[in-house]
Amino acid sequence: MKIGIVGASGYSGEVLVKLLLNHPRVTLAAVTSRTLAGKALAAVIPSVRGADRGLRFSDSDPVALAAGDIELYFLALPHGAAATYAQALVAAGKRVIDLSADFRIAELAVYEQYYGGHRAPELLPSARFVLPELTPPAWKTEAKLVAAPGCYPTSILVPLVPLLKAGVIGREHIVVNSCSGVSGAGRKLEETFLYVERAESLKPYGLLKHRHLAEIEEQLALHTGAKTIIQFNPHLAPLRRGLATTITVPAARGATIETLYGAWRAAYANRPFVQLLPAGETPDTAHTVGTNRIDMSAVHDPRTGNFVITSAEDNLMKGASGQAVQIMNLWCGFDETDGLL
Amino acid sequence: MKIGIVGASGYSGEVLVKLLLNHPRVTLAAVTSRTLAGKALAAVIPSVRGADRGLRFSDSDPVALAAGDIELYFLALPHGAAATYAQALVAAGKRVIDLSADFRIAELAVYEQYYGGHRAPELLPSARFVLPELTPPAWKTEAKLVAAPGCYPTSILVPLVPLLKAGVIGREHIVVNSCSGVSGAGRKLEETFLYVERAESLKPYGLLKHRHLAEIEEQLALHTGAKTIIQFNPHLAPLRRGLATTITVPAARGATIETLYGAWRAAYANRPFVQLLPAGETPDTAHTVGTNRIDMSAVHDPRTGNFVITSAEDNLMKGASGQAVQIMNLWCGFDETDGLL
Amino acid sequence: MKIGIVGASGYSGEVLVKLLLNHPRVTLAAVTSRTLAGKALAAVIPSVRGADRGLRFSDSDPVALAAGDIELYFLALPHGAAATYAQALVAAGKRVIDLSADFRIAELAVYEQYYGGHRAPELLPSARFVLPELTPPAWKTEAKLVAAPGCYPTSILVPLVPLLKAGVIGREHIVVNSCSGVSGAGRKLEETFLYVERAESLKPYGLLKHRHLAEIEEQLALHTGAKTIIQFNPHLAPLRRGLATTITVPAARGATIETLYGAWRAAYANRPFVQLLPAGETPDTAHTVGTNRIDMSAVHDPRTGNFVITSAEDNLMKGASGQAVQIMNLWCGFDETDGLL
Amino acid sequence: MKIGIVGASGYSGEVLVKLLLNHPRVTLAAVTSRTLAGKALAAVIPSVRGADRGLRFSDSDPVALAAGDIELYFLALPHGAAATYAQALVAAGKRVIDLSADFRIAELAVYEQYYGGHRAPELLPSARFVLPELTPPAWKTEAKLVAAPGCYPTSILVPLVPLLKAGVIGREHIVVNSCSGVSGAGRKLEETFLYVERAESLKPYGLLKHRHLAEIEEQLALHTGAKTIIQFNPHLAPLRRGLATTITVPAARGATIETLYGAWRAAYANRPFVQLLPAGETPDTAHTVGTNRIDMSAVHDPRTGNFVITSAEDNLMKGASGQAVQIMNLWCGFDETDGLL
């Protein structure tokens, strides 16, 4: 099966390229970029030297892509740009997995509040937000277009959703602190992302209304049946890759650490990419880098009555491109772990 | 005035040495260590080469130190060891500033619960925990022995105390997440502190009953008149130095961001080492490294009703040795900023 | 085909485990360790959580290993220890690929000068040092035991050997400067390898008679037919993984940059793990991390008459475990790149 | 004495500001910038919050600066721009210490070859390149304008010049490899300087005709009386600050390591900022960061007949701003170490 990547010059595009070059079930047949057309893949992504099968960036005219024989496209584009490609490709009957925010928010008004005008609102009904461990499997037949989740939302939804559904925790006073590696910002040429500014620096940012909040809270509501407002405090840490999330939430009356782990086990038994660590053992971003895993654990604090829930993932893998490949695997009927172990 | 340092081979000892070699009002007359006696200071702390005034480590027999003419000693020792030195030095009428935990906890039972048996409990009544911006000035005449605060407690108490006292925030649902640089663990030979393990790694640790909790909650109670239980979630970040704290707490009824900043301004007007950043500008550990400052800011989140309060400091400066020098300055009647700007 | 790893608790052992768990042609059937016997693989190497196929460390009694049905063993042990295992395993007819220094030096006296007494000198005649791109293929049938090259030697021999053989450079005034990531030192509990000491630090070390010199110079002589003495200046750099080598050497009379690249192309045409970058483009360790490649380029400096030759590799891949797997692939008749792309 | 800084928004400007705010003999009276005029110093350089004495950036019109009462200016500007300010300020009788390359090269043709046209060639005769430990003291009275040396040249000239003068080494086959921290590139918004690109990366760059070569070789010739061509191989290392240089050079006939250290001691006895480490102990950039020192050592390799000479410095201190302050101290008759210990 031939697949293509539109816009592979960013960090998540680069990881996608590596994963798909090595995937046992698909052939990476096109990597497109308006600005890089004609360049050898390895000239732009030097880490694939010798493994790039001679691929070159091709031009990325949506109409031409729609006319070709590639069956599935990943869009690794800035939001806004993705919608335009999705229109052409979906119209031509291609499957599309979009890594941008364009189709993550089902409710148009919420999207517009966080991101501005939407370029392809007519596609929203046929788009599905798919977090494979949480989204009911009907998407595999319904979707024409899949929105892959963001890095922060994945690190928060995977631990929280089963606990809210099982009533192990309440909906009040949920406090989420996350620390992200710098690649989370993409390859942006801003002074704050220079090596000298980031090395040896840790700082909160985007404390109010970080864009991922829209996605997190919409999904919490959809999965758990009620509006849930969280405090979300993102931080920038001197990591190339990695995302650590620590959630503090009051335990529901009668809930114990065993109840909590029981809810997790019920939700994630046999899910290859969710690893539950024992209470007291904390996940470490470094242990997840290069993998598609999310590692999680929790403790109950009898002094405060809170659970403290921790997760770690690679922001470019389970938080972006690895998860997008996982989605493809499920959508196309491959083994869920193909190309991801 | 002659001063000495007992136990200068750790990271906070090293910073103390540098600060005191350059201090305009005191002469660093002795640096002691049982294991390093006889070695040149610069051989152990290469960053002071050429600036070490020919000092060598001397032996650290408490009786001999007590008999000498040095008026004030800093103890940069592990807890337990510090108490033994304090006994001899206080008995001889020396002023002692202790950087360990031994005299930070006024209530003996609490100390014992977190640290085990105390070697010099008889000194507790004449010891004072001094966080210069918070502790009422009577300590300057009362204390025979001063406990310098820990790094996490400083980063938490400075922002919280004035807000609790002013009723700007409540005492429920206080959630504190902190990220510390690796030097916070001291120069420990454990696998987890190796470069290869820490670089590119972020992880929570010590989630329940971190030792600094004893100190934080005792001080919160002493300063604000009521027991206050916090959720304290420490993390290890790939920084050599630096400590970032993010506190989420529900705003008291009627409190606004202006009320909050008003309480801070009232408490810290003209305090040279507390910098209030405007709401929306977040402190960055990198901006405080090498300084004795704590930078703070806050925002009000209308969605949750919480304040999110952030602070940053250098864990070895305002979080340890810089603050110890600040204490000396105040105790000895020097300018508070001597040797610290 | 079943294979095993003896001593997988170090950094190169960890990388071996990951490579072999994913290898399409072999089954990792045993991972042994005296100190870790009984522990789950994922408990010791958290990055393989969920991908460890339930493996546990088993005991590593050489006699028991020799009696089992595993056909090939990798030894990821300190030098000295490796020789003892090699004796038992080779005697039992197992294939052995040793990542230690024990069988890298053909001449016993040289080994002893650099490493002390040898525990299994009788095996030296049946052992082969194999750098796949350089060693003539007869080893595949002759060897009972293969010594995989060290990280520094690989980064130096691959660029130098074809140039010496082709007479593009002379044998005088060869100056090699290398910068290694900290994992090159293994998981050693020494103060100098703590995060706080290494981060933001760059320093030379081992300037005279670094142990790898024995291997480098023996191989240079064997491949090029004459004794060749080099100046080898290793440095420690704040990288987890990666090794950059810069070689300055006078161009032979008449040699040009085209001659040099011609010699490289003749030697490495179609070798999948040697990448030649154009003159003027320099290799970057970051581009090789996680790959089994060595990237190389060179420039000619008309001011000095020197070539400046640069290479980069991942010290744990092409410099250790990746190369060991490449050796297995060739030895067992698999595709050279199996499990390595 | 009032001093000013023109162009303090780069990394060396930032370090200059900190040094001069704390200098005991001068008052930092103006910090100028065309683009930042009006902004508080601490808003641009957050690390000086609370210590900036209320200073704001002022406009930097050369004519206005020339008319004011500030006696000495540091120029922390890109090359080219510096020359324009120097014209106006020197004409007005101000002392000028320039941190750019504009007046480092005495010979105009060489400057033009490396940097293009010179904007103020008429000033070259009254300008002096001053490396305080090497330049004969006549400059203190002769100079109207002082060029502070570059970071690489300092790290190379300090070790080499006394050895060439004493005939301890020859002029052939001098190979210099240097690793620089990323701040050496200034605050440039280029993709290669992003955190994600630089962290965990080491690479050579600028292998032929790095601009600093002009300065290094001119100074070698001036100090040692003969043209000396070196191979200069700079590398970029993941350090914020720091510069390590390793020089390989054949020992002159009869020269020993004692001869070498003897030449160094004769040249640098009592120089506070040159530290000679014993042979076998290597300098570490981390030990020099924040100091104005250059640490040096050497070994003799009997196998090759070479000396391997190593130096380390902070590229922003001894390699830029610290050295500029040292120059001011000497020029103005202050103690050489004022504000620098």
Side-chain angles (χ1 to χ4, degrees):
Chain A
M1 179 175 154
K2 286 187 178 178
I3 56 102
I5 303 173
V6 183
S9 61
Y11 293 130
S12 58
E14 184 172 327
V15 171
L16 257 186
V17 164
K18 291 190 216 179
L19 290 172
L20 294 168
L21 280 171
N22 282 304
H23 197 282
R25 303 290 297 269
V26 302
T27 300
L28 178 57
V31 182
T32 83
S33 162
R34 263 170 307 179
T35 54
L36 300 168
K39 288 208 177 187
L41 195 57
V44 177
I45 307 178
S47 54
V48 300
R49 279 179 192 137
D52 67 347
R53 302 181 187 168
L55 277 170
R56 293 184 169 275
F57 279 89
S58 54
D59 202 357
S60 60
D61 174 55
V63 177
L65 298 180
D69 66 346
I70 287 174
E71 294 175 56
L72 185 152
Y73 273 100
F74 293 89
L75 308 182
L77 294 162
H79 67 87
T84 306
Y85 282 90
Q87 280 178 318
L89 294 169
V90 168
K94 313 290 188 192
R95 299 190 189 205
V96 173
I97 299 175
D98 178 20
L99 284 82
S100 87
D102 278 355
F103 301 98
R104 287 178 185 160
I105 316 293
E107 202 169 333
L108 183 60
V110 174
Y111 179 91
E112 291 175 342
Q113 184 187 346
Y114 282 82
Y115 294 93
H118 199 295
R119 297 195 195 170
E122 77 283 4
L123 289 180
L124 286 172
S126 54
R128 293 292 177 274
F129 175 98
V130 176
L131 208 169
E133 286 82 1
L134 292 175
T135 307
W139 68 269
K140 293 183 210 174
T141 49
E142 295 168 4
K144 294 188 172 170
L145 163 61
V146 174
C151 50
Y152 286 121
T154 297
S155 82
I156 295 164
L157 294 168
V158 174
L160 275 189
V161 165
L163 306 184
L164 284 165
K165 287 172 80 171
V168 174
I169 57 173
R171 291 177 195 279
E172 301 287 315
H173 300 298
I174 301 179
V175 177
V176 179
N177 278 263
S178 296
C179 291
S180 170
V182 183
S183 61
R187 200 175 250 145
K188 279 204 205 104
L189 270 190
E190 296 179 13
E191 199 170 298
T192 194
F193 301 122
L194 291 176
Y195 179 85
V196 178
E197 304 302 316
R198 285 298 100 232
E200 298 287 317
S201 160
L202 201 140
K203 69 163 188 184
Y205 75 101
L207 287 178
L208 300 179
K209 294 202 76 176
H210 187 284
R211 282 175 162 177
H212 281 176
L213 258 181
E215 177 183 346
I216 297 165
E217 293 186 352
E218 186 175 88
Q219 290 294 318
L220 285 177
L222 288 172
H223 283 285
T224 72
K227 188 173 173 65
T228 311
I229 300 295
I230 66 166
Q231 187 70 51
F232 175 47
N233 304 329
H235 298 70
L236 204 48
L239 312 167
R240 299 171 86 218
R241 294 160 70 157
L243 200 160
T245 283
T246 298
I247 305 171
T248 300
V249 54
R253 188 178 300 262
T256 64
I257 190 71
E258 288 76 24
T259 331
L260 182 151
Y261 272 83
W264 275 354
R265 274 189 218 103
Y268 300 126
N270 305 318
R271 298 309 303 238
F273 297 123
V274 178
Q275 288 289 316
L276 304 180
L277 314 190
E281 190 173 329
T282 47
D284 184 327
T285 58
H287 298 159
T288 65
V289 168
T291 83
N292 195 45
R293 293 200 324 263
I294 177 167
D295 288 359
M296 317 194 304
S297 71
V299 289
H300 179 258
D301 190 338
R303 300 170 64 262
T304 59
N306 291 327
F307 289 121
V308 181
I309 298 161
T310 53
S311 75
E313 69 183 22
D314 180 339
N315 61 305
L316 296 181
M317 288 287 292
K318 186 63 179 166
S321 305
Q323 188 148 262
V325 172
Q326 184 186 0
I327 289 166
M328 176 190 75
N329 286 343
L330 295 168
W331 206 4
C332 298
F334 307 150
D335 190 282
E336 187 172 1
T337 63
D338 275 348
L340 290 171
L341 284 187
Chain B
M1 180 175 154
K2 287 185 179 178
I3 57 102
I5 302 172
V6 183
S9 60
Y11 294 130
S12 59
E14 186 171 327
V15 171
L16 256 185
V17 163
K18 290 190 217 177
L19 289 172
L20 293 169
L21 280 170
N22 282 305
H23 196 284
R25 304 290 296 266
V26 302
T27 301
L28 178 58
V31 182
T32 84
S33 160
R34 263 172 308 181
T35 53
L36 300 168
K39 287 208 176 183
L41 194 55
V44 176
I45 308 177
S47 54
V48 300
R49 280 179 190 136
D52 68 346
R53 301 184 188 166
L55 276 172
R56 292 183 168 275
F57 279 89
S58 53
D59 203 357
S60 62
D61 174 56
V63 177
L65 298 181
D69 65 346
I70 287 174
E71 294 174 57
L72 185 152
Y73 272 100
F74 292 88
L75 307 183
L77 295 162
H79 67 86
T84 305
Y85 282 89
Q87 280 178 318
L89 295 170
V90 168
K94 311 293 187 192
R95 296 189 190 207
V96 173
I97 299 174
D98 180 19
L99 282 82
S100 88
D102 278 356
F103 301 98
R104 287 178 186 160
I105 317 294
E107 203 170 329
L108 183 59
V110 174
Y111 178 91
E112 289 175 343
Q113 185 188 346
Y114 281 83
Y115 293 94
H118 199 294
R119 296 193 194 171
E122 77 281 4
L123 289 182
L124 287 173
S126 54
R128 292 293 178 277
F129 175 98
V130 175
L131 209 169
E133 286 82 2
L134 291 176
T135 309
W139 68 270
K140 293 183 207 172
T141 49
E142 293 167 5
K144 292 188 172 170
L145 164 60
V146 173
C151 50
Y152 286 119
T154 298
S155 82
I156 296 164
L157 294 168
V158 172
L160 275 190
V161 165
L163 306 183
L164 284 166
K165 287 172 80 170
V168 175
I169 57 174
R171 291 176 196 279
E172 301 287 316
H173 299 297
I174 302 179
V175 177
V176 179
N177 278 262
S178 296
C179 291
S180 171
V182 183
S183 62
R187 198 175 252 144
K188 279 203 205 106
L189 269 190
E190 296 180 14
E191 200 169 293
T192 194
F193 300 123
L194 291 176
Y195 180 83
V196 178
E197 306 301 319
R198 285 299 101 232
E200 297 289 318
S201 160
L202 201 139
K203 68 165 188 183
Y205 76 100
L207 287 178
L208 301 180
K209 292 201 80 175
H210 187 284
R211 280 173 164 177
H212 281 175
L213 259 181
E215 177 184 345
I216 297 165
E217 293 186 352
E218 186 175 271
Q219 290 296 316
L220 286 178
L222 286 172
H223 282 285
T224 72
K227 189 171 175 65
T228 312
I229 301 295
I230 66 166
Q231 188 69 52
F232 175 48
N233 303 330
H235 298 69
L236 205 48
L239 313 166
R240 298 171 87 218
R241 295 161 70 159
L243 201 159
T245 284
T246 298
I247 305 171
T248 302
V249 54
R253 187 179 299 264
T256 64
I257 192 69
E258 288 76 24
T259 332
L260 183 151
Y261 272 83
W264 275 354
R265 274 189 219 102
Y268 299 126
N270 305 317
R271 296 311 301 238
F273 298 121
V274 179
Q275 287 288 316
L276 305 180
L277 314 189
E281 190 174 329
T282 49
D284 183 328
T285 59
H287 298 160
T288 66
V289 167
T291 82
N292 195 47
R293 292 199 324 261
I294 178 167
D295 288 358
M296 318 193 305
S297 71
V299 289
H300 179 257
D301 189 339
R303 299 171 64 262
T304 60
N306 292 325
F307 289 122
V308 180
I309 299 161
T310 54
S311 75
E313 68 183 23
D314 180 339
N315 60 306
L316 296 180
M317 287 288 290
K318 185 63 180 168
S321 304
Q323 187 147 264
V325 170
Q326 184 187 358
I327 289 167
M328 177 189 76
N329 286 345
L330 294 168
W331 206 3
C332 298
F334 307 150
D335 191 281
E336 187 171 2
T337 62
D338 275 348
L340 291 170
L341 286 187
Chain C
M1 179 174 153
K2 286 188 178 177
I3 56 102
I5 303 173
V6 183
S9 60
Y11 293 129
S12 58
E14 185 171 327
V15 172
L16 258 185
V17 164
K18 290 189 216 177
L19 290 173
L20 294 169
L21 281 170
N22 283 305
H23 197 282
R25 304 290 296 269
V26 301
T27 301
L28 178 58
V31 182
T32 83
S33 161
R34 264 171 308 181
T35 53
L36 300 167
K39 290 209 176 183
L41 194 58
V44 176
I45 308 180
S47 53
V48 300
R49 279 178 190 137
D52 67 346
R53 304 186 186 165
L55 277 172
R56 290 184 170 275
F57 279 89
S58 54
D59 202 355
S60 61
D61 175 55
V63 177
L65 298 180
D69 65 345
I70 287 175
E71 294 174 58
L72 184 152
Y73 273 101
F74 292 89
L75 306 183
L77 294 163
H79 67 86
T84 305
Y85 282 90
Q87 278 178 320
L89 295 169
V90 168
K94 312 292 189 192
R95 296 190 190 205
V96 173
I97 299 174
D98 179 20
L99 283 83
S100 86
D102 278 356
F103 301 98
R104 286 178 186 159
I105 316 293
E107 202 170 333
L108 183 60
V110 174
Y111 179 91
E112 289 176 343
Q113 185 189 346
Y114 281 83
Y115 292 94
H118 199 294
R119 296 192 195 173
E122 75 282 5
L123 290 180
L124 287 172
S126 54
R128 291 292 177 276
F129 175 98
V130 176
L131 209 169
E133 285 82 2
L134 292 176
T135 308
W139 68 269
K140 293 184 208 171
T141 48
E142 296 166 3
K144 294 189 172 170
L145 165 59
V146 173
C151 50
Y152 286 120
T154 298
S155 81
I156 295 164
L157 294 169
V158 174
L160 275 190
V161 165
L163 305 185
L164 284 166
K165 286 172 81 171
V168 174
I169 56 174
R171 293 176 195 277
E172 302 287 316
H173 301 297
I174 303 180
V175 177
V176 179
N177 278 262
S178 296
C179 291
S180 170
V182 183
S183 62
R187 201 174 248 145
K188 280 206 205 102
L189 269 190
E190 295 180 14
E191 201 170 294
T192 195
F193 300 123
L194 291 176
Y195 180 83
V196 178
E197 305 301 319
R198 283 298 102 231
E200 298 288 317
S201 159
L202 200 140
K203 68 164 187 184
Y205 76 100
L207 286 179
L208 300 181
K209 292 201 80 174
H210 187 284
R211 282 174 161 176
H212 281 177
L213 259 182
E215 178 183 346
I216 298 164
E217 293 186 351
E218 186 175 271
Q219 290 295 317
L220 286 178
L222 287 172
H223 283 285
T224 71
K227 190 172 172 64
T228 311
I229 301 296
I230 66 166
Q231 187 69 51
F232 175 46
N233 303 330
H235 298 71
L236 204 49
L239 313 166
R240 299 171 87 220
R241 293 161 73 157
L243 201 160
T245 284
T246 298
I247 305 171
T248 301
V249 54
R253 188 180 299 262
T256 65
I257 192 69
E258 288 76 26
T259 330
L260 183 151
Y261 272 83
W264 275 354
R265 274 190 218 102
Y268 300 127
N270 305 317
R271 297 310 304 237
F273 298 123
V274 178
Q275 288 289 316
L276 305 180
L277 314 188
E281 190 175 328
T282 49
D284 182 328
T285 60
H287 298 160
T288 65
V289 168
T291 82
N292 195 45
R293 290 201 326 263
I294 178 167
D295 288 359
M296 317 194 303
S297 71
V299 288
H300 179 258
D301 190 338
R303 300 172 64 261
T304 59
N306 292 326
F307 289 123
V308 181
I309 299 162
T310 54
S311 76
E313 68 182 23
D314 180 339
N315 60 305
L316 296 180
M317 287 289 290
K318 186 62 181 167
S321 304
Q323 187 146 266
V325 171
Q326 184 186 358
I327 289 166
M328 177 190 75
N329 286 343
L330 293 169
W331 207 2
C332 298
F334 307 151
D335 191 282
E336 185 172 2
T337 63
D338 275 349
L340 290 171
L341 283 188
Chain D
M1 178 173 155
K2 286 187 178 177
I3 56 100
I5 303 173
V6 183
S9 61
Y11 294 130
S12 59
E14 185 171 328
V15 171
L16 257 186
V17 163
K18 290 190 216 177
L19 289 172
L20 294 169
L21 280 169
N22 282 303
H23 197 282
R25 304 291 297 269
V26 302
T27 301
L28 178 57
V31 182
T32 82
S33 161
R34 263 170 307 179
T35 54
L36 301 168
K39 288 210 177 184
L41 193 58
V44 177
I45 308 178
S47 54
V48 300
R49 279 179 190 137
D52 67 346
R53 302 185 190 165
L55 277 171
R56 292 184 169 276
F57 279 89
S58 53
D59 202 357
S60 62
D61 175 56
V63 176
L65 298 180
D69 64 347
I70 287 174
E71 295 174 57
L72 184 152
Y73 274 99
F74 292 89
L75 307 183
L77 294 163
H79 68 87
T84 307
Y85 282 90
Q87 281 177 317
L89 294 169
V90 167
K94 312 291 187 190
R95 296 187 190 208
V96 173
I97 299 175
D98 179 20
L99 282 83
S100 86
D102 278 355
F103 301 99
R104 287 178 184 159
I105 316 294
E107 202 169 331
L108 183 59
V110 175
Y111 179 91
E112 289 175 342
Q113 184 187 346
Y114 282 83
Y115 293 94
H118 199 294
R119 298 196 195 169
E122 76 284 4
L123 288 182
L124 287 172
S126 53
R128 292 291 177 277
F129 175 96
V130 175
L131 207 168
E133 286 82 1
L134 291 176
T135 308
W139 68 269
K140 294 184 208 173
T141 48
E142 295 167 3
K144 291 187 173 171
L145 164 60
V146 173
C151 50
Y152 285 120
T154 298
S155 82
I156 295 164
L157 294 169
V158 173
L160 275 190
V161 165
L163 305 183
L164 284 166
K165 287 172 78 173
V168 173
I169 57 174
R171 292 175 196 279
E172 300 289 314
H173 299 297
I174 302 179
V175 177
V176 179
N177 279 263
S178 296
C179 291
S180 171
V182 183
S183 61
R187 198 175 253 146
K188 279 203 205 103
L189 269 190
E190 296 179 13
E191 201 170 293
T192 194
F193 301 123
L194 291 176
Y195 180 84
V196 178
E197 305 301 319
R198 284 298 100 233
E200 298 287 319
S201 159
L202 200 137
K203 70 164 187 183
Y205 76 100
L207 285 179
L208 300 181
K209 292 202 80 175
H210 187 285
R211 282 176 163 175
H212 281 176
L213 259 181
E215 177 183 343
I216 297 165
E217 293 186 352
E218 184 175 273
Q219 289 294 316
L220 286 177
L222 288 171
H223 283 287
T224 72
K227 189 170 174 65
T228 312
I229 301 296
I230 66 167
Q231 187 69 52
F232 175 48
N233 304 330
H235 298 71
L236 205 48
L239 313 166
R240 300 171 86 218
R241 294 161 70 157
L243 201 161
T245 284
T246 298
I247 306 171
T248 301
V249 54
R253 187 178 299 262
T256 64
I257 191 69
E258 288 75 26
T259 331
L260 182 152
Y261 272 84
W264 275 354
R265 274 189 219 103
Y268 300 126
N270 305 314
R271 297 310 304 236
F273 297 122
V274 179
Q275 288 287 317
L276 304 181
L277 314 189
E281 190 174 327
T282 48
D284 183 328
T285 59
H287 298 159
T288 65
V289 167
T291 82
N292 195 46
R293 289 199 328 260
I294 177 168
D295 288 359
M296 319 194 302
S297 71
V299 288
H300 179 258
D301 190 337
R303 300 171 63 263
T304 58
N306 291 327
F307 289 121
V308 181
I309 299 162
T310 53
S311 75
E313 68 182 24
D314 180 338
N315 61 305
L316 296 180
M317 287 288 291
K318 186 63 179 166
S321 305
Q323 187 147 266
V325 170
Q326 183 186 358
I327 289 166
M328 175 189 77
N329 286 343
L330 293 168
W331 205 3
C332 298
F334 306 151
D335 189 283
E336 186 172 1
T337 63
D338 275 347
L340 290 172
L341 286 187

